[in-house]
Amino acid sequence: KAGVTQTPRYLIKTRGQQVTLSCSPISGHRSVSWYQQTPGQGLQFLFEYFSETQRNKGNFPGRFSGRQFSNSRSEMNVSTLELGDSALYLCASSLTGSGANVLTFGAGSRLTVL
Amino acid sequence: EDKVVQSPLSLVVHEGDTVTLNCSYEVTNFRSLLWYKQEKKAPTFLFMLTSSGIEKKSGRLSSILDKKELFSILNITATQTGDSAIYLCAVEGGYGQNFVFGPGTRLSVLP
């Protein structure tokens, strides 16, 4: 079956712009999580969605937001981009998001902010 | 604050060597510990550990969890150049689904 699909794979933006990233989970997976990966900070948890509701949120400013649609696809948005937002944004899906879960990751969206 | 620590952060070995990667954690409401391998892109799943003392094995890789001492190790025997990657340890805990990742161990296997 198809894996987790993230689009776009690469993008370049300038400071002050906004960006929207998309994630399609594995069919049947209802939980979608987002992570930011940078060389200095490693993988940092952004938020998790389940059945269109944000269940958990990491310590990121309000410029980072997301949503999940009824088909479990998710988007995340970053507004007023800063240089420090340059990172690999990884989306991961899992079946239910409760109990012991295995996250399956997409290939990521690499964002460069100039 | 929940945290996951991995050591060493970087390791260079030669093909055929055996390596041990360490992961220690302080996470409330522990549910599971996962190991991932990350090459150029998406982290790929290696093991999930939930019970102490039960070794998980897959080919040359194995892992074990100690919930009393709050750590896990990942062993790779007879390393190959294809094992070169970043190995990530993640712990699920807290409330809701919340994985805390360690910084990773960058393993380089030289021919």
Side-chain angles (χ1 to χ4, degrees):
Chain A
K1 57 184 177 183
V4 178
T5 304
Q6 290 189 246
T7 57
R9 291 291 314 280
Y10 303 92
L11 63 167
I12 300 174
K13 294 283 187 178
T14 56
R15 279 182 299 176
Q17 287 188 308
Q18 73 163 14
V19 65
T20 298
L21 310 178
S22 178
C23 172
S24 293
I26 290 173
S27 178
H29 282 195
R30 295 170 62 192
S31 171
V32 174
S33 301
W34 289 90
Y35 292 83
Q36 181 195 66
Q37 187 175 34
T38 58
Q41 298 293 320
L43 265 157
Q44 303 285 313
F45 172 70
L46 281 155
F47 26 66
E48 184 238 349
Y49 287 88
F50 181 80
S51 293
E52 302 178 65
T53 301
Q54 186 182 88
R55 288 202 301 190
N56 213 345
K57 189 175 189 307
N59 295 324
F60 277 81
R63 300 185 297 108
F64 292 81
S65 62
R67 58 178 175 169
Q68 186 180 34
F69 302 95
S70 58
N71 62 357
S72 294
R73 189 178 71 85
S74 177
E75 289 181 348
M76 68 163 280
N77 184 277
V78 188
S79 62
T80 319
L81 284 166
E82 301 176 359
L83 295 179
D85 297 332
S86 294
L88 179 66
Y89 290 88
L90 290 164
C91 163
S93 73
S94 62
L95 267 173
T96 64
S98 63
N101 291 276
V102 175
L103 294 176
T104 302
F105 284 90
S109 293
R110 184 166 294 281
L111 170 66
T112 301
V113 182
L114 302 177
Chain B
E1 183 182 329
D2 294 341
K3 66 178 178 181
V4 175
V5 176
Q6 291 186 248
S7 64
L9 293 180
S10 180
L11 187 57
V12 181
V13 300
H14 287 93
E15 274 193 316
D17 288 349
T18 293
V19 299
T20 298
L21 310 184
N22 303 290
C23 174
S24 63
Y25 62 91
E26 292 178 28
V27 174
T28 55
N29 196 26
F30 172 92
R31 286 192 284 283
S32 63
L33 185 146
L34 283 70
W35 285 96
Y36 285 86
K37 176 184 181 182
Q38 186 176 25
E39 294 173 89
K40 293 201 186 305
K41 38 187 183 183
T44 54
F45 171 73
L46 295 174
F47 298 111
M48 174 193 282
L49 302 156
T50 56
S51 301
S52 275
I54 299 175
E55 185 182 52
K56 295 280 184 90
K57 264 184 91 70
S58 177
R60 297 175 294 102
L61 278 66
S62 64
S63 183
I64 197 161
L65 173 67
D66 186 328
K67 288 170 73 173
K68 182 179 175 189
E69 300 297 331
L70 307 182
F71 79 91
S72 173
I73 59 172
L74 174 67
N75 279 320
I76 308 175
T77 60
T79 51
Q80 302 171 355
T81 55
D83 295 327
S84 296
I86 297 173
Y87 290 84
L88 296 165
C89 173
V91 177
E92 185 185 11
Y95 301 95
Q97 185 186 84
N98 183 6
F99 283 86
V100 180
F101 279 80
T105 294
R106 182 180 293 274
L107 174 64
S108 299
V109 182
L110 305 178

